[in-house]
Amino acid sequence: LVLTNLNKEIPDQGVIVDVGPGMLLGNGQMMVPDVEVGQTVLFAKYQGTDVQHSGKTYKILAYRDILAVIG
């Protein structure tokens, strides 16, 4: 994976605190995300939905919005 500076919009990053069960595909099979709790990911700056819970801000992302796993 190579990230260039061609786009001036720098992606945000965050640590995964929970992962849903996956997505039901048209053929009836489940697509299970290949990310895990504790991994650091990059995502586009304006993707996801911000949610406040217990004084903390979380971002809910769709699996397709994750650009890369960096740690």
Side-chain angles (χ1 to χ4, degrees):
L1 172 67
V2 177
L3 299 176
T4 64
N5 201 11
L6 296 176
N7 187 351
K8 294 187 184 220
E9 184 176 303
I10 299 171
D12 283 340
Q13 69 180 28
V15 176
I16 295 177
V17 295
D18 198 8
V19 178
M23 182 174 78
L24 187 60
L25 301 174
N27 63 6
Q29 293 183 331
M30 283 292 279
M31 186 212 61
V32 180
D34 60 352
V35 293
E36 300 174 2
V37 172
Q39 289 182 314
T40 301
V41 296
L42 295 178
F43 54 91
K45 186 171 275 304
Y46 300 107
Q47 295 298 321
T49 302
D50 290 334
V51 176
Q52 295 280 334
H53 180 68
S54 298
K56 292 184 178 182
T57 301
Y58 297 92
K59 186 171 290 282
I60 298 173
L61 291 170
Y63 178 69
R64 67 180 173 271
D65 294 333
I66 296 173
L67 303 174
V69 177
I70 59 172

